[in-house]
Amino acid sequence: MSCLHKCPKRTQSQELAFQEQVRRVAHENGKRLGLEGDADLQFLLVGGELVKIRSNSWKKNRFFKLQEDCKTFWHESQKVFKRNQTFSIDDIDSVRKGRQSEGLNKHTDPRVEEQCFSIIFKGRKKNLDLMAPSGGEAKQWVNGIEKIITNMKKTHWIINCMRKADKNEDNQMTLKELKHFLRQINVEVDDTYAEEIFKNCDKSNSGALEGSEIKHFYDLLTHREEIDVIYEKYAETEGQMSTTDLLNFLLNEQREQVSRDYAEHLIEKYEVDGKGRKRLTIDGFLMYLHQEEGSILNPAHKHVYQDMNQPLNHYYISSSHNTYLMEDQLKGPSSTEAYIKALMKSCRCVELDCWDGANGEPVIYHGYTLTSKVVFRDVIKAIKDYAFRTSEYPVILSLENHCSVDQQKLMAHHLISILGDALVTKPLGDTMPTNFPSPEDLKGKFLIKGKRLNKLDAAFNNNNTLEEDTVSEEDEAADCKENGQKKSKIKLAKPLSDIVIYCKSVHFNGFEHAKDNQAFYEMSSFKESKAFNLADTSGTAYIHHNMDKLSRIYPAGSRTDSSNYNPVPMWNVGCQIVALNFQTPSKEMHLNQGRFLPNGVSGYILKPEFLRSLSSQFDPNTLTKGPWLQRKTFHIMVISAQQLPKINKDKHKSIVDPLVRVEIYGVPADNASKETHYIDNNGFNPMWNERFEFNIQVPELAMVRFVVEDYDSTSQNDLIGHYCLPLTSVQSGYRHVPLLTKRGDVICSAGLFVHLMLIDAP
C-alpha cells in the first residue's frame, strides 16, 4: 500500500485558470530574460521525456521540464521519498552536445551521437547524462538551456532578488517584503530605517511600492556615493562630462596615454542617454567603470600579446599533476572529465599515470591505491577533443609509464592513431635541432614527455635496430616508494620511445652534470622538497639550467589529500612546468589562475628577460643590482565592495561582515599582506576607504591577490571571493575588481572598487 497521498483533482475550470496563471508567469519570466516568445524556451517550459543514463544497465525514462520561474528544472524521480527533484540554472557550468562526457561515451552507441547531451554542474556534482528521442529535440534542449544561462547573466542580481522578495507575485512590494529583500541582498537594517526608505518611496500612500516607486527605491539602493564624488570632480560641462572632461579623467586619474578620439569612442559606447550630445552622464560613467576598460586587468592582456616565437622553455606553462583525479589520491575517482576540465582551463601539460589493464588495454589511475581506473584510449580521445578549445598552443602529455612492453606498444598505437598529424613524431625541420621550437611553431600540436631509448639524432638515421631496452622508472614513481627501496627498472618499447621528441625524461644529477651531459630536449622532474631546496641554495644555477632546458615540479607524494605547494618560488627560478593538483581549489590554484590570466589565457606566459638571458646573475633570494631591480611603490586604496554573496545561505538572517586583504607574492623581499577593518552586517555596499602601500623590488615577478572574507571572531574567516593577477597586468586609477569563487568561477555582479597607482620608488 502506498504511503503517498494523491492531491485532489482540480475541476476543469480550476485547471484552465491554473494553466492560464502558469502561462502568464512563464510569459513574464521569459520577457524578463529577453526570450519572450522564443521557441526553444517554450519547448523547455512544455518539457519532455529524456533517457537518463548512468551505466549500461541503468537507463531510465524521466520527464524533464523548465519551471515557470525560468530558472529551475524539475524532473521526476523514482525515489520513494523524493518523487520530484529540481536543480537551478545557477548550478549549471555548461551544456555539452553529443557523447562528450565519460558516461555517454562509455554507455551509449556512437549511432545516437546526435541525440545525446550532458549537463555539467559546477563543483563536484555529477554530470547529468541524457538522451533525447531525436537529434532535433536534443538540439532544442541544448539551445534553450544555453540561452537561459546567457540571459540570466545579463539580468541584474538586484532585480532577481526583488522578484524573490515579491512572495505573492503581484509586482508590488510591501514593507514586510522590503525587509525580506534587504536581508537577501546582504544588508542588515533596523526597522526604523526600513520604514523610512519605504515611506520615502511610497508616493501613492498605498502601503505597497509599485511601478515608478520600485524604480525610485532601486535608484536609492544602487546609488554609489563614491562614484558621485569622482564624477562631480571632472564633470565640468553643465554638470556632465564632455569629451575634454573625460579625457582629463583618463589622463590624470587612470594614467592612460590616450587620445581625444578614444574619449569620444567611450562616450559613444557607454552613454545611455543617446541624444548625440557627446556627453557622458553619471549612468554612462558608471557603466564604463564596470566594463573591461574600467577593469583592473589591462584589456590588451586579455588577448595573446606576448611574443610567441621564443623557444618553448622560455615560457611558464600551465601544468597539472595527477590530472586524472577528481578528488584525493587514495580513493578518489579517476575520470576523463578531469582532463576535460583542466584543458578547458587552458592547462597545457597533463599527466597520464599508465598501468597494465584488463583485456590488454592500458589504464590510468594512481598506482597502489583505491582510486578508480579510466581506459587510456578514452583519455586520449577526450584530450584530442578538448585540447585546443580554449588555447591553440601545444599540449604536453606527461607519461608516467608502468606498463608491460605489449601494452606500451598499444599506448603508442592509440597516441598515433587518435592524435594523428597533431602528434609530433619527429623533430621539426630536416636537420638535428639545437633548441626548442616555439609555441607558435607548435600550434595545435601534442608533445609526449617520457623515457627514450636513444638520443634524438637517431630520428635522422635508420641504423637503430633496438626494439626494446631497460630504463629507470620515472623520478616521480621512484619518489613515491618507501625509503630504502631501490629505483625500479622497466622495459621500454621502441614505438613508445620513438614518439618522445622534445621532452625526454632523465634523472637529475646536479646542475654541472646537466650542463655538461644533457641535451636541450632532456628534462628532469623534481619533487617539491628537492626543487625548493635547490631554489633556496642555488637560485642562479637553477635559473641558468632553465634557460636551455625544461624543468617539471610536482607535489610531494605525502599530499594524499591532493593539496598544493606554493608555485611562486618555482616561477622565480624560471621553472616552466610547475604542476599543481587542478582538482583542489586552494590559494595555490588561485595564484596559478592569476599567473596565466593574461596573454589570452593561452596557458603560456613569456618569462622575464632576466630569466632568459645567459648573462643574467639574478637570484631571487639576494637581489644584487641588475635589470630585474626596478623599485616601485604600489599604492592601493580599497574603497568599497558591491553585492557580496551571502556565505551561510541556510541561515535566513545571516549577513556577512566583510573585510578585504591585499596580498603580494613574488621574490621573498616583496611578499606582504595588509587588510582592512571588517564592516558589520553589510555585504551589499560596504565602504572602507583604506589606503595601503607596498614596496616592490622585482615587479616583473610580483602578483597581487585580493581576498574578501567574512569576519568571524570565534573561528576562521570564510572566503567570500578572490581575484589574482600579475602586477604587470594591473591598470592604474579607479578600477573595479571582479571576484571569483573558491573554485575560480566568476561571482556575477560582485566586485571591489579600488584606486591603484604604481610609481617609481624614491
Side-chain angles (χ1 to χ4, degrees), residues 577-609:
I577 302 176
V578 181
L580 298 177
N581 289 304
F582 268 52
Q583 70 272 27
T584 307
S586 58
K587 177 178 71 176
E588 295 79 17
M589 272 307 298
H590 300 165
L591 290 168
N592 194 78
Q593 189 173 3
R595 165 61 69 202
F596 293 98
L597 179 66
N599 207 33
V601 198
S602 63
Y604 284 84
I605 295 290
L606 185 64
K607 295 192 288 186
E609 173 67 25

mmCIF file of all heavy atoms in Angstrom, residues 577-609:
data_model
loop_
_atom_site.group_PDB
_atom_site.id
_atom_site.type_symbol
_atom_site.label_atom_id
_atom_site.label_comp_id
_atom_site.label_asym_id
_atom_site.label_seq_id
_atom_site.Cartn_x
_atom_site.Cartn_y
_atom_site.Cartn_z
ATOM 1 N N ILE A 577 57.321 24.000 -15.988
ATOM 2 C CA ILE A 577 56.187 23.093 -15.777
ATOM 3 C C ILE A 577 56.020 22.889 -14.274
ATOM 4 O O ILE A 577 56.541 21.935 -13.682
ATOM 5 C CB ILE A 577 56.417 21.760 -16.531
ATOM 6 C CG1 ILE A 577 56.616 22.038 -18.025
ATOM 7 C CG2 ILE A 577 55.261 20.798 -16.317
ATOM 8 C CD1 ILE A 577 56.940 20.809 -18.856
ATOM 9 N N VAL A 578 55.315 23.810 -13.643
ATOM 10 C CA VAL A 578 55.082 23.775 -12.200
ATOM 11 C C VAL A 578 53.705 23.139 -12.000
ATOM 12 O O VAL A 578 52.676 23.799 -12.077
ATOM 13 C CB VAL A 578 55.163 25.195 -11.600
ATOM 14 C CG1 VAL A 578 54.957 25.151 -10.098
ATOM 15 C CG2 VAL A 578 56.521 25.827 -11.940
ATOM 16 N N ALA A 579 53.704 21.820 -11.796
ATOM 17 C CA ALA A 579 52.459 21.040 -11.834
ATOM 18 C C ALA A 579 51.721 21.097 -10.498
ATOM 19 O O ALA A 579 52.301 20.837 -9.439
ATOM 20 C CB ALA A 579 52.772 19.595 -12.213
ATOM 21 N N LEU A 580 50.443 21.420 -10.568
ATOM 22 C CA LEU A 580 49.587 21.514 -9.383
ATOM 23 C C LEU A 580 48.379 20.589 -9.532
ATOM 24 O O LEU A 580 48.015 20.202 -10.639
ATOM 25 C CB LEU A 580 49.105 22.950 -9.186
ATOM 26 C CG LEU A 580 50.170 24.018 -8.947
ATOM 27 C CD1 LEU A 580 49.521 25.400 -8.842
ATOM 28 C CD2 LEU A 580 50.970 23.732 -7.680
ATOM 29 N N ASN A 581 47.758 20.267 -8.398
ATOM 30 C CA ASN A 581 46.520 19.486 -8.406
ATOM 31 C C ASN A 581 45.352 20.403 -8.764
ATOM 32 O O ASN A 581 44.811 21.101 -7.913
ATOM 33 C CB ASN A 581 46.302 18.844 -7.028
ATOM 34 C CG ASN A 581 47.284 17.729 -6.749
ATOM 35 O OD1 ASN A 581 47.397 16.780 -7.513
ATOM 36 N ND2 ASN A 581 48.028 17.844 -5.655
ATOM 37 N N PHE A 582 44.976 20.402 -10.039
ATOM 38 C CA PHE A 582 43.913 21.282 -10.518
ATOM 39 C C PHE A 582 42.573 20.977 -9.850
ATOM 40 O O PHE A 582 41.697 21.831 -9.795
ATOM 41 C CB PHE A 582 43.765 21.152 -12.044
ATOM 42 C CG PHE A 582 44.585 22.132 -12.833
ATOM 43 C CD1 PHE A 582 45.942 22.253 -12.596
ATOM 44 C CD2 PHE A 582 44.019 22.936 -13.804
ATOM 45 C CE1 PHE A 582 46.720 23.146 -13.316
ATOM 46 C CE2 PHE A 582 44.778 23.842 -14.531
ATOM 47 C CZ PHE A 582 46.137 23.941 -14.288
ATOM 48 N N GLN A 583 42.409 19.736 -9.363
ATOM 49 C CA GLN A 583 41.124 19.341 -8.798
ATOM 50 C C GLN A 583 40.877 19.928 -7.416
ATOM 51 O O GLN A 583 39.777 19.806 -6.878
ATOM 52 C CB GLN A 583 41.019 17.812 -8.726
ATOM 53 C CG GLN A 583 41.919 17.133 -7.688
ATOM 54 C CD GLN A 583 43.296 16.804 -8.215
ATOM 55 O OE1 GLN A 583 43.794 17.466 -9.121
ATOM 56 N NE2 GLN A 583 43.927 15.777 -7.665
ATOM 57 N N THR A 584 41.902 20.578 -6.830
ATOM 58 C CA THR A 584 41.789 21.078 -5.464
ATOM 59 C C THR A 584 41.744 22.606 -5.432
ATOM 60 O O THR A 584 42.756 23.268 -5.672
ATOM 61 C CB THR A 584 42.985 20.589 -4.610
ATOM 62 O OG1 THR A 584 43.083 19.170 -4.725
ATOM 63 C CG2 THR A 584 42.806 20.978 -3.156
ATOM 64 N N PRO A 585 40.585 23.191 -5.141
ATOM 65 C CA PRO A 585 40.521 24.656 -5.032
ATOM 66 C C PRO A 585 41.320 25.121 -3.818
ATOM 67 O O PRO A 585 41.152 24.608 -2.715
ATOM 68 C CB PRO A 585 39.016 24.936 -4.852
ATOM 69 C CG PRO A 585 38.435 23.669 -4.329
ATOM 70 C CD PRO A 585 39.278 22.553 -4.864
ATOM 71 N N SER A 586 42.222 26.054 -4.020
ATOM 72 C CA SER A 586 43.132 26.475 -2.956
ATOM 73 C C SER A 586 43.788 27.785 -3.350
ATOM 74 O O SER A 586 43.729 28.207 -4.506
ATOM 75 C CB SER A 586 44.226 25.406 -2.753
ATOM 76 O OG SER A 586 44.936 25.200 -3.968
ATOM 77 N N LYS A 587 44.433 28.408 -2.378
ATOM 78 C CA LYS A 587 45.163 29.650 -2.647
ATOM 79 C C LYS A 587 46.204 29.428 -3.740
ATOM 80 O O LYS A 587 46.403 30.289 -4.611
ATOM 81 C CB LYS A 587 45.851 30.139 -1.365
ATOM 82 C CG LYS A 587 46.706 31.391 -1.562
ATOM 83 C CD LYS A 587 47.327 31.862 -0.258
ATOM 84 C CE LYS A 587 48.417 30.942 0.222
ATOM 85 N NZ LYS A 587 49.096 31.436 1.434
ATOM 86 N N GLU A 588 46.861 28.274 -3.729
ATOM 87 C CA GLU A 588 47.896 27.983 -4.719
ATOM 88 C C GLU A 588 47.317 27.928 -6.134
ATOM 89 O O GLU A 588 47.919 28.405 -7.092
ATOM 90 C CB GLU A 588 48.587 26.665 -4.378
ATOM 91 C CG GLU A 588 49.376 26.684 -3.071
ATOM 92 C CD GLU A 588 48.512 26.543 -1.825
ATOM 93 O OE1 GLU A 588 47.350 26.107 -1.949
ATOM 94 O OE2 GLU A 588 48.996 26.868 -0.727
ATOM 95 N N MET A 589 46.113 27.334 -6.266
ATOM 96 C CA MET A 589 45.459 27.313 -7.576
ATOM 97 C C MET A 589 44.969 28.700 -7.973
ATOM 98 O O MET A 589 44.944 29.039 -9.161
ATOM 99 C CB MET A 589 44.294 26.318 -7.577
ATOM 100 C CG MET A 589 44.678 24.896 -7.940
ATOM 101 S SD MET A 589 45.592 24.734 -9.509
ATOM 102 C CE MET A 589 44.386 25.348 -10.678
ATOM 103 N N HIS A 590 44.603 29.533 -6.998
ATOM 104 C CA HIS A 590 44.225 30.917 -7.300
ATOM 105 C C HIS A 590 45.422 31.661 -7.893
ATOM 106 O O HIS A 590 45.277 32.450 -8.835
ATOM 107 C CB HIS A 590 43.746 31.635 -6.037
ATOM 108 C CG HIS A 590 42.552 30.992 -5.394
ATOM 109 N ND1 HIS A 590 42.157 31.285 -4.104
ATOM 110 C CD2 HIS A 590 41.664 30.076 -5.870
ATOM 111 C CE1 HIS A 590 41.082 30.564 -3.812
ATOM 112 N NE2 HIS A 590 40.763 29.821 -4.864
ATOM 113 N N LEU A 591 46.609 31.408 -7.320
ATOM 114 C CA LEU A 591 47.826 32.043 -7.847
ATOM 115 C C LEU A 591 48.112 31.559 -9.261
ATOM 116 O O LEU A 591 48.505 32.335 -10.134
ATOM 117 C CB LEU A 591 49.014 31.735 -6.929
ATOM 118 C CG LEU A 591 48.999 32.409 -5.546
ATOM 119 C CD1 LEU A 591 50.061 31.804 -4.640
ATOM 120 C CD2 LEU A 591 49.213 33.915 -5.678
ATOM 121 N N ASN A 592 47.905 30.262 -9.488
ATOM 122 C CA ASN A 592 48.133 29.701 -10.825
ATOM 123 C C ASN A 592 47.158 30.313 -11.832
ATOM 124 O O ASN A 592 47.534 30.673 -12.952
ATOM 125 C CB ASN A 592 47.959 28.184 -10.788
ATOM 126 C CG ASN A 592 48.502 27.502 -12.025
ATOM 127 O OD1 ASN A 592 49.702 27.317 -12.177
ATOM 128 N ND2 ASN A 592 47.618 27.130 -12.934
ATOM 129 N N GLN A 593 45.904 30.449 -11.425
ATOM 130 C CA GLN A 593 44.900 31.050 -12.299
ATOM 131 C C GLN A 593 45.275 32.499 -12.611
ATOM 132 O O GLN A 593 45.120 32.971 -13.750
ATOM 133 C CB GLN A 593 43.526 30.997 -11.623
ATOM 134 C CG GLN A 593 42.372 31.400 -12.530
ATOM 135 C CD GLN A 593 41.015 31.168 -11.870
ATOM 136 O OE1 GLN A 593 40.918 30.751 -10.717
ATOM 137 N NE2 GLN A 593 39.950 31.442 -12.604
ATOM 138 N N GLY A 594 45.802 33.212 -11.604
ATOM 139 C CA GLY A 594 46.222 34.591 -11.812
ATOM 140 C C GLY A 594 47.441 34.705 -12.709
ATOM 141 O O GLY A 594 47.524 35.584 -13.569
ATOM 142 N N ARG A 595 48.398 33.796 -12.532
ATOM 143 C CA ARG A 595 49.617 33.825 -13.346
ATOM 144 C C ARG A 595 49.286 33.666 -14.826
ATOM 145 O O ARG A 595 49.882 34.320 -15.683
ATOM 146 C CB ARG A 595 50.559 32.693 -12.881
ATOM 147 C CG ARG A 595 51.698 32.336 -13.829
ATOM 148 C CD ARG A 595 52.641 33.501 -14.062
ATOM 149 N NE ARG A 595 53.410 33.829 -12.891
ATOM 150 C CZ ARG A 595 53.964 35.020 -12.683
ATOM 151 N NH1 ARG A 595 53.801 35.998 -13.578
ATOM 152 N NH2 ARG A 595 54.673 35.264 -11.599
ATOM 153 N N PHE A 596 48.326 32.790 -15.142
ATOM 154 C CA PHE A 596 48.006 32.506 -16.544
ATOM 155 C C PHE A 596 46.760 33.247 -17.035
ATOM 156 O O PHE A 596 46.241 32.930 -18.103
ATOM 157 C CB PHE A 596 47.868 30.991 -16.741
ATOM 158 C CG PHE A 596 49.167 30.258 -16.556
ATOM 159 C CD1 PHE A 596 49.472 29.629 -15.355
ATOM 160 C CD2 PHE A 596 50.113 30.250 -17.572
ATOM 161 C CE1 PHE A 596 50.690 28.979 -15.172
ATOM 162 C CE2 PHE A 596 51.331 29.608 -17.407
ATOM 163 C CZ PHE A 596 51.624 28.969 -16.206
ATOM 164 N N LEU A 597 46.308 34.239 -16.255
ATOM 165 C CA LEU A 597 45.165 35.047 -16.676
ATOM 166 C C LEU A 597 45.477 35.905 -17.899
ATOM 167 O O LEU A 597 44.662 35.978 -18.831
ATOM 168 C CB LEU A 597 44.708 35.932 -15.497
ATOM 169 C CG LEU A 597 43.538 36.867 -15.757
ATOM 170 C CD1 LEU A 597 42.255 36.089 -16.025
ATOM 171 C CD2 LEU A 597 43.341 37.798 -14.547
ATOM 172 N N PRO A 598 46.641 36.579 -17.972
ATOM 173 C CA PRO A 598 46.940 37.398 -19.158
ATOM 174 C C PRO A 598 47.340 36.541 -20.360
ATOM 175 O O PRO A 598 47.341 35.316 -20.288
ATOM 176 C CB PRO A 598 48.118 38.280 -18.699
ATOM 177 C CG PRO A 598 48.296 38.020 -17.245
ATOM 178 C CD PRO A 598 47.692 36.695 -16.958
ATOM 179 N N ASN A 599 47.691 37.227 -21.432
ATOM 180 C CA ASN A 599 48.144 36.581 -22.679
ATOM 181 C C ASN A 599 47.076 35.657 -23.250
ATOM 182 O O ASN A 599 47.360 34.548 -23.717
ATOM 183 C CB ASN A 599 49.456 35.831 -22.468
ATOM 184 C CG ASN A 599 50.272 35.736 -23.755
ATOM 185 O OD1 ASN A 599 50.245 36.641 -24.583
ATOM 186 N ND2 ASN A 599 51.005 34.651 -23.932
ATOM 187 N N GLY A 600 45.845 36.137 -23.177
ATOM 188 C CA GLY A 600 44.741 35.406 -23.796
ATOM 189 C C GLY A 600 44.381 34.113 -23.113
ATOM 190 O O GLY A 600 43.754 33.241 -23.723
ATOM 191 N N VAL A 601 44.742 33.949 -21.827
ATOM 192 C CA VAL A 601 44.523 32.688 -21.098
ATOM 193 C C VAL A 601 44.964 31.516 -21.986
ATOM 194 O O VAL A 601 44.268 30.520 -22.145
ATOM 195 C CB VAL A 601 43.047 32.522 -20.650
ATOM 196 C CG1 VAL A 601 42.941 31.474 -19.539
ATOM 197 C CG2 VAL A 601 42.449 33.817 -20.163
ATOM 198 N N SER A 602 46.149 31.662 -22.571
ATOM 199 C CA SER A 602 46.649 30.682 -23.541
ATOM 200 C C SER A 602 47.384 29.522 -22.883
ATOM 201 O O SER A 602 47.695 28.525 -23.536
ATOM 202 C CB SER A 602 47.603 31.368 -24.524
ATOM 203 O OG SER A 602 48.747 31.869 -23.836
ATOM 204 N N GLY A 603 47.674 29.643 -21.573
ATOM 205 C CA GLY A 603 48.446 28.609 -20.884
ATOM 206 C C GLY A 603 49.943 28.792 -21.009
ATOM 207 O O GLY A 603 50.714 27.993 -20.474
ATOM 208 N N TYR A 604 50.371 29.848 -21.712
ATOM 209 C CA TYR A 604 51.796 30.166 -21.888
ATOM 210 C C TYR A 604 52.044 31.624 -21.513
ATOM 211 O O TYR A 604 51.331 32.515 -21.991
ATOM 212 C CB TYR A 604 52.235 29.928 -23.336
ATOM 213 C CG TYR A 604 52.419 28.475 -23.679
ATOM 214 C CD1 TYR A 604 51.335 27.687 -24.067
ATOM 215 C CD2 TYR A 604 53.675 27.872 -23.601
ATOM 216 C CE1 TYR A 604 51.494 26.335 -24.371
ATOM 217 C CE2 TYR A 604 53.846 26.520 -23.913
ATOM 218 C CZ TYR A 604 52.750 25.760 -24.289
ATOM 219 O OH TYR A 604 52.909 24.429 -24.582
ATOM 220 N N ILE A 605 53.023 31.858 -20.668
ATOM 221 C CA ILE A 605 53.434 33.213 -20.280
ATOM 222 C C ILE A 605 54.942 33.322 -20.481
ATOM 223 O O ILE A 605 55.718 32.505 -19.950
ATOM 224 C CB ILE A 605 53.084 33.505 -18.802
ATOM 225 C CG1 ILE A 605 51.567 33.498 -18.584
ATOM 226 C CG2 ILE A 605 53.695 34.826 -18.351
ATOM 227 C CD1 ILE A 605 50.820 34.667 -19.203
ATOM 228 N N LEU A 606 55.356 34.314 -21.251
ATOM 229 C CA LEU A 606 56.786 34.525 -21.513
ATOM 230 C C LEU A 606 57.490 34.959 -20.227
ATOM 231 O O LEU A 606 57.047 35.893 -19.546
ATOM 232 C CB LEU A 606 56.969 35.581 -22.595
ATOM 233 C CG LEU A 606 58.395 35.838 -23.083
ATOM 234 C CD1 LEU A 606 58.975 34.599 -23.757
ATOM 235 C CD2 LEU A 606 58.422 37.031 -24.043
ATOM 236 N N LYS A 607 58.565 34.276 -19.884
ATOM 237 C CA LYS A 607 59.322 34.620 -18.678
ATOM 238 C C LYS A 607 60.027 35.972 -18.875
ATOM 239 O O LYS A 607 60.353 36.345 -20.005
ATOM 240 C CB LYS A 607 60.356 33.532 -18.375
ATOM 241 C CG LYS A 607 59.739 32.177 -18.013
ATOM 242 C CD LYS A 607 60.764 31.201 -17.447
ATOM 243 C CE LYS A 607 61.726 30.677 -18.473
ATOM 244 N NZ LYS A 607 62.620 29.622 -17.938
ATOM 245 N N PRO A 608 60.292 36.709 -17.781
ATOM 246 C CA PRO A 608 61.026 37.968 -17.903
ATOM 247 C C PRO A 608 62.397 37.763 -18.554
ATOM 248 O O PRO A 608 62.979 36.672 -18.467
ATOM 249 C CB PRO A 608 61.173 38.443 -16.454
ATOM 250 C CG PRO A 608 60.084 37.750 -15.703
ATOM 251 C CD PRO A 608 59.887 36.430 -16.391
ATOM 252 N N GLU A 609 62.915 38.797 -19.172
ATOM 253 C CA GLU A 609 64.193 38.738 -19.896
ATOM 254 C C GLU A 609 65.323 38.220 -19.002
ATOM 255 O O GLU A 609 66.155 37.429 -19.439
ATOM 256 C CB GLU A 609 64.534 40.135 -20.427
ATOM 257 C CG GLU A 609 65.912 40.278 -21.064
ATOM 258 C CD GLU A 609 66.058 39.496 -22.367
ATOM 259 O OE1 GLU A 609 65.017 39.239 -23.024
ATOM 260 O OE2 GLU A 609 67.193 39.145 -22.721
#
